[in-house]
Amino acid sequence: MAIPQTNFNPPFNITRASHLVLTAQDLAASRDFYTEVIGLVVSDEDANTIYLRGVEERGHHSLTLKRTTAAPTCECIGMHVFSEEDLDKAKFHFDRSGVPAKFVDVPFQVRTLRFSDAMGTPVELCAIMETRPRLHVEIHTHKGARALRMDHYQVLVPDVLAAAKFYMDLGFRISDYLVVANHTIGTFLYRKNNPWDLVLLHRAGPQFHHCGYVVESLYDLIRGLDTAGNIGFGENVEHGPGRHGLSHSYYTYLRDPDGHRTELLLPAIQVIDRYDEPVAYSIDPTSTGNRWGFPPPRSWFEEASEFVGVPLRRPPAEGDPLTLEKYLASKSWRRAPDAMRKSA
Amino acid sequence: MAIPQTNFNPPFNITRASHLVLTAQDLAASRDFYTEVIGLVVSDEDANTIYLRGVEERGHHSLTLKRTTAAPTCECIGMHVFSEEDLDKAKFHFDRSGVPAKFVDVPFQVRTLRFSDAMGTPVELCAIMETRPRLHVEIHTHKGARALRMDHYQVLVPDVLAAAKFYMDLGFRISDYLVVANHTIGTFLYRKNNPWDLVLLHRAGPQFHHCGYVVESLYDLIRGLDTAGNIGFGENVEHGPGRHGLSHSYYTYLRDPDGHRTELLLPAIQVIDRYDEPVAYSIDPTSTGNRWGFPPPRSWFEEASEFVGVPLRRPPAEGDPLTLEKYLASKSWRRAPDAMRKSA
Amino acid sequence: MAIPQTNFNPPFNITRASHLVLTAQDLAASRDFYTEVIGLVVSDEDANTIYLRGVEERGHHSLTLKRTTAAPTCECIGMHVFSEEDLDKAKFHFDRSGVPAKFVDVPFQVRTLRFSDAMGTPVELCAIMETRPRLHVEIHTHKGARALRMDHYQVLVPDVLAAAKFYMDLGFRISDYLVVANHTIGTFLYRKNNPWDLVLLHRAGPQFHHCGYVVESLYDLIRGLDTAGNIGFGENVEHGPGRHGLSHSYYTYLRDPDGHRTELLLPAIQVIDRYDEPVAYSIDPTSTGNRWGFPPPRSWFEEASEFVGVPLRRPPAEGDPLTLEKYLASKSWRRAPDAMRKSA
Amino acid sequence: MAIPQTNFNPPFNITRASHLVLTAQDLAASRDFYTEVIGLVVSDEDANTIYLRGVEERGHHSLTLKRTTAAPTCECIGMHVFSEEDLDKAKFHFDRSGVPAKFVDVPFQVRTLRFSDAMGTPVELCAIMETRPRLHVEIHTHKGARALRMDHYQVLVPDVLAAAKFYMDLGFRISDYLVVANHTIGTFLYRKNNPWDLVLLHRAGPQFHHCGYVVESLYDLIRGLDTAGNIGFGENVEHGPGRHGLSHSYYTYLRDPDGHRTELLLPAIQVIDRYDEPVAYSIDPTSTGNRWGFPPPRSWFEEASEFVGVPLRRPPAEGDPLTLEKYLASKSWRRAPDAMRKSA
């Protein structure tokens, strides 16, 4: 089945994945996790809400944490459009297309349009936030992994191609996509100039799987992990460090105190040009999916954050990924099979 | 039970862990592994033997690979004494002490004394090897992790304290040791100025568990892993990267094509002073043993290389370490227990 | 004097700085420099021309070297437009605006439009090049600094604001600009999502000052320098490593065998949003201009590559920058003046 | 002229360069410099004295700063002997040899023997200090370059060979030495297992030129420099980053607020073996002395800290080193001479 085509004249101009709203049961614990380990800085906070940004970010927040007594969820993912005018174009477009969309008030954002995408994922658009100083050169004040900026979201959806088509109609391009037995089970969609703003993966959904923050170097990533170990979050490292397959970069996934997942990644490649055509990767179900490093544990495949009030839909078949648990059960370390090795 | 005391006036002067002899069924595969991934350089080779050294090493070899058609084993671990005279003192000492010891001929080494330690481990002593140029600044010729130098061995033994006493009588000091329920299950012994020349761990033995090569930086370690992934050894990464507990450093363990295990580690701390007293670490059997990173998989605990012709002896009790398999089966990622977290 | 305004509805869509043509007297020496030290890969070559690209680049070339027996020059700088249609729009726009522009044949590029900007700088536009595989994960094949991709050019011009206006009419934005005594002496212009595609600096011009290639890490940058030192280019390092002021990144400048200058830099910050307003920096003529590291030597200010056949125009006043030579002559290392130090 | 021979049965056992006493006019400024930029931690302090150690060090102090109103000087360099008994052996040896030596009281050190070496340099020996916890894994508390441990001193002396002989009689070995026109102008002496505990360089002396602290990685070194830039010490960077010639490592030299010089360096190679014979390097007076990076500025050659109350003696000839100032005056960047370049 063919992947959808990008609409290169989209009805309005989404520029990038930009901000995220999560709920948390213990704000103090989450504050420690995100400021000390991930290295975000607090732009504003009150008793029930914390607004955080990466050390490089000029926008007021890329992560908002809201206190909850209920099960922790994802309230919405957020994207930037280029101008306030784009918000009006978006409202017009969604109204005409039958997509639920309405303006809402969000602190520190000028105007905010909330809509639900083809899978029901709540998404927030805004053009202008309050700004704060970029702090990336204030290195002596940085903590943990000193995360630079929000990069992308991964969302689990029951129909990857339908979800992708929704965004490709809005101008998103595909850098690469995952195929199992002729079935597209994942797409890497982008608006800004790297391969990821929105990763869609085939599972029951919509669910928020993780957000990705860019760090400057492996040493920063490791400093985040050392800090995690030192202050009591050592066991929150769920997966990694390792190197993704598909020519992607290094990764580490951590779970926050409420189980929400964050990926730390290195700066990505640049994809801008018209000749950056989508690359298809056939997934070998017996492969770890990595260049090196264990496959993800079962939790990585099975656990995700629900979106507030959005019903879960299961796909016809969920697949049977190679979990770390299965991998270890079948692994033999002696005499790597010849087929595995090629000459250097 | 008290740990043994170091003899600060040892009968002869062992200076460091220095070289290792392993057998391999497929020399070409092992050559690729050690030169392309670990980054060793070949000092000499013929149809049946390869002599390798780290890029910083002046001594002719720190790893000798010998072709075998039998099961792969460790022929011996090797240590340097300071002078040829120390070899004679060692022979005299061993003869007087009833330790089996004899001079043997080893290519590229002037004189070599082979003995069996208290556990039966075959150990080789030499003072003078042929030398080759140090190549550590020839960075443009380096490959993989560009391993600098052999650092230490880990040997599994059925009686840690008896084995440690043998070496402490020869002048080895203890940097730290592991205690479970009042029982010493591991000792970190050193002669040179860092915490490890010989690590003894409680298991059936004697068995060769791994050797450790020092790499210069995390980027070198990762380049080794990237190379492993690129040339077909990606699944030879058994454990890591992670950070040891006990104030130790970063690690990654790889299995070579015959299953022999190599650790890549960063430069260690310096331990020289008289006031560097042994540090005891109580092992919590429910802990990963790491500052961060998964505990080792079962294979890490259960698989090791036998020494040629040395019978295995089992300890009264083998212990029940926390393997990755057990850890994953019991792990819950949501809501880290309060006890796990302390304030930053 | 106010800086010009960006035209957010430009007549055609330039996407990024993309490729450069330099002439060289000794192609073999230049090939060594760019492949072994900078780490570019050769996409194609013949007796008189070498086409090089960064290890991450999919486009066929970002640097073309042409053999010359005359003085080495810069033939043109090149930019990508998004689509072939943009080339036609560009031709139409330039013709209407009286800007000299014509289609030329360039190997490995589909269609190429050459024009002269407001200062006379020859610039090449193309949308589609032949593609080659991205090689960024083939780390075991990389050399030197393993440069990832072309990032930007710095061009010296006698009238910074007039030159900037030309590009801002074409959609370029300003990330920051340099002011001395109310006079704008430098502008950092961008189309893609980081602060630099085209840096204009006040001097006699137009002259090509340097191109910048992005490297992945400080370790890569240093490996480039180590390689330079090892193979005979150690004295080609003209300036750095150091850290720019203005919240910019780390730098090192090297001179190629013909004196052309390349900067190696780390990945930049992301600038995308409407609220990323231009930042003005007042230059203190007694400051090094750096966060740390010596100011550039006189050669950095005074030497640049002329554009083929383009006459040089001098500005009314050239300024009197703080060179390394002047800095050293006046520097005292004892007792840093109190004014220099602020509390941590 | 032949270099002296090491006495491998020295009269007592010096183990390493260990601690240093400097005087400072503004303790608060120096405290900022050493804690925020170099990353040392304060073990103890009062109104007139600060005791600092590297984050890895167990000994109480490796750098003592004492308030002065006079010109800043070096009070002494310090070394560790292995045991208290070695202090008595040292006293006996020095008395018999006519070397001025007496026991003095030094806070936090059990017994301290102060002597003057062949050049008059005041040197302090001690075996046991109070201990403090090693903090190297407490990475989230580290600052600046997070210096690990004191490594070595460089002392300027008017007679390098006589000074070296004094120390080689005490068991110091030479890793390498510098020769100009058959004259030995520098020696790298060591007791611990790397090439440097005491570097002697030919100039008027004795003068304290610098101490060297080891940092873990280039990223730590750069974080130190970034911090220097951020808190007002950016212009205290005198030389580097660069890479030494002679197969030595990366370096950066900083001047503290009183002009005392500290080198930050990466972990060195290991030199232990009997076959680690001294390496002679012939210095080409037209060479930068570096693998890459500018030669040191004149201040690096001409400025050093005097030892309290020790008269300066000038050598017959001081030499004419290639300073950065001279290098820049003669440097041409265009067309590197063929002789400079060899094939990769």
Side-chain angles (χ1 to χ4, degrees), chain A residues 25-26 29 32 36 217-219 222 225-226 229-238 241 243 250 255-259 288 291-292 294 297 299 303-304 324-325 327-328 331 333-336 340-344, chain B residues 25-26 29 32 36 217-219 222 225-226 229-238 241 243 250 255-259 288 291-292 294 297 299 303-304 324-325 327-328 331 333-336 340-344:
Chain A
Q25 291 185 350
D26 178 350
D32 276 359
E36 307 301 313
S217 75
L218 286 168
Y219 276 91
I222 296 297
L225 297 178
D226 278 334
N230 288 349
I231 69 169
F233 292 113
E235 299 215 26
N236 292 44
V237 183
E238 186 187 30
R243 179 152 202 165
Y250 308 101
R255 302 291 292 270
D256 83 3
D258 289 279
T288 65
R291 198 150 282 254
W292 56 266
F294 283 156
S299 60
E303 301 180 8
L324 176 52
E325 287 85 348
Y327 177 78
L328 290 172
K331 176 74 181 174
W333 295 96
R334 308 242 183 211
R335 302 297 317 152
M340 208 181 83
R341 226 181 53 77
K342 47 182 173 171
S343 165
Chain B
Q25 291 185 351
D26 179 349
D32 277 0
E36 307 301 313
S217 75
L218 286 168
Y219 275 91
I222 297 297
L225 297 178
D226 279 333
N230 287 350
I231 69 168
F233 292 112
E235 298 217 25
N236 291 44
V237 183
E238 185 187 30
R243 178 152 202 166
Y250 307 101
R255 302 290 293 270
D256 83 4
D258 288 279
T288 65
R291 198 150 281 255
W292 56 265
F294 282 157
S299 59
E303 300 180 9
L324 176 52
E325 287 84 348
Y327 177 80
L328 290 171
K331 176 74 182 173
W333 295 97
R334 307 239 184 215
R335 301 297 315 150
M340 208 181 83
R341 225 181 53 77
K342 45 181 177 175
S343 164

Side-chain angles (χ1 to χ4, degrees), chain C residues 181-204:
Chain C
N182 249 7
H183 198 68
T184 299
I185 62 149
T187 57
F188 297 87
L189 295 160
Y190 67 99
R191 281 292 293 171
K192 70 172 176 296
N193 296 343
N194 77 28
W196 313 295
D197 280 293
L198 182 60
V199 181
L200 301 171
L201 208 63
H202 173 87
R203 299 294 289 175

Side-chain angles (χ1 to χ4, degrees), chain C residues 244-290:
Chain C
H244 286 302
L246 319 182
S247 299
H248 291 182
S249 184
Y250 307 101
Y251 64 82
T252 300
Y253 294 89
L254 297 105
R255 302 291 292 270
D256 83 2
D258 288 279
H260 300 304
R261 191 182 283 107
T262 296
E263 180 184 12
L264 297 178
L265 68 154
L266 275 284
I269 60 169
Q270 177 176 283
V271 285
I272 294 182
D273 303 310
R274 193 64 181 83
Y275 48 80
D276 275 313
E277 296 292 344
V279 178
Y281 288 101
S282 277
I283 300 300
D284 172 357
T286 67
S287 153
T288 66
N290 280 334

